Amino acid sequence: MASEFATVGGKFRFAPHLGLFEPGLGLFRHAAGRDPVSQIEFAADHGFSAVQDNFLQLRDVKDQERIGRAIARHGVTMGSFVATMIFDRPTFASDDPETVKAVLDIIRKAIEAAKRVNGVWLTLIPGHRIGAISYEKQKNTIIDNLKRCAEFAEAAEVVLLLEALNSIDRPGMMLSKITEAAEVVHAVQSRACRLVFDVYHVQAESGDIIRNIDRCWKEIGYFQLGDNPGRCEPGTGEINFARVLSHIWRKGYRGLLDMEHHASREGIAGEQAVLQAYAELEQAATKLDL
């Protein structure tokens, strides 16, 4: 089976997911099976030095520990996971004491999960906006709540990644534009609070990828990949990923690149196509830097 798949390996640190919208639906589930440990092994065998797992926080502690052992055994890095997976109501924009307490409790639990897998990157979804309150007031509330969370993160030596989700897929979210999220991160003024630049979400919401990278560069701590439209592997949509990767490499980014997308085709053939797309992307982006 392994010989049928391209091997990805080079200067870019791509990280396939162990589950994008469901814990068992990892990017290479047909080739590796649904067990996250088997998916980690598959990723390592095919040249990846990292994986990411949106649902790590929601897995049983025993599964988190199994994942942590597999990561250590195969010498890969745990990429990002979603600490606050609440999409249907206000969270960070609320100053309600019970909501604030619940958010802080979630962050504490996420830090414990990160320790079990030697993880660093915790993604924060800022939740829905509150219709009756001005955007400016809600933004200031988000900043205040993030400052509280960042205190825990600094002590634990982890990094909170604020993410803006496009308003087409996720209407009603408090932060949809990457520049708005960057303003919040800048105001928090903590080494433990950074911006995740999800190329798919930015393209769907605002476009102008290169200029938006430059506008937000000082706040960016992490990148996630996915083509638009369709949220599938590079080469299936409109984004010139070779140019994007070459640009951030030249600017000095050496961090992880989460593969935050689906396969454009079903089954084994789709997963083969994903690996081939990344092998070709690595070559194309590297050539631009020669």
Side-chain angles (χ1 to χ4, degrees), residues 97-111:
E98 288 300 314
T99 301
V100 173
K101 179 180 181 299
V103 168
L104 292 175
D105 287 343
I106 289 172
I107 297 301
R108 291 190 189 98
K109 291 177 181 177
I111 289 172

Side-chain angles (χ1 to χ4, degrees), residues 106-236:
I106 289 172
I107 297 301
R108 291 190 189 98
K109 291 177 181 177
I111 289 172
E112 290 303 311
K115 290 177 181 177
R116 296 184 186 108
V117 298
N118 197 28
V120 174
W121 309 101
L122 285 61
T123 304
L124 303 185
I125 308 299
H128 264 235
R129 59 176 176 262
I130 305 169
I133 301 176
S134 71
Y135 168 81
E136 199 64 26
K137 182 175 181 180
Q138 290 181 76
K139 183 180 79 170
N140 290 335
T141 302
I142 290 176
I143 293 167
D144 290 340
N145 285 330
L146 278 174
K147 286 180 177 179
R148 297 185 181 101
C149 294
E151 291 180 10
F152 293 115
E154 286 182 10
E157 297 184 336
V158 299
V159 179
L160 308 176
L161 297 170
L162 187 65
E163 182 167 15
L165 304 183
N166 78 78
S167 58
I168 300 169
D169 293 346
R170 296 284 185 180
M173 302 301 289
M174 181 57 203
L175 297 175
S176 296
K177 297 185 183 300
I178 194 69
T179 49
E180 294 173 344
E183 289 173 2
V184 169
V185 169
H186 179 76
V188 173
Q189 289 290 298
S190 168
R191 69 178 187 276
C193 183
R194 306 291 289 158
L195 180 69
V196 56
F197 193 104
D198 186 312
V199 175
Y200 164 74
H201 283 299
V202 175
Q203 179 67 10
E205 180 69 25
S206 307
D208 210 11
I209 295 292
I210 299 294
R211 285 196 180 95
N212 274 317
I213 288 171
D214 291 343
R215 290 176 185 122
C216 304
W217 184 252
K218 291 182 179 179
E219 282 67 52
I220 294 172
Y222 204 91
F223 281 89
Q224 295 179 331
L225 309 180
D227 217 335
N228 182 68
R231 198 171 188 174
C232 293
E233 69 269 15
T236 57

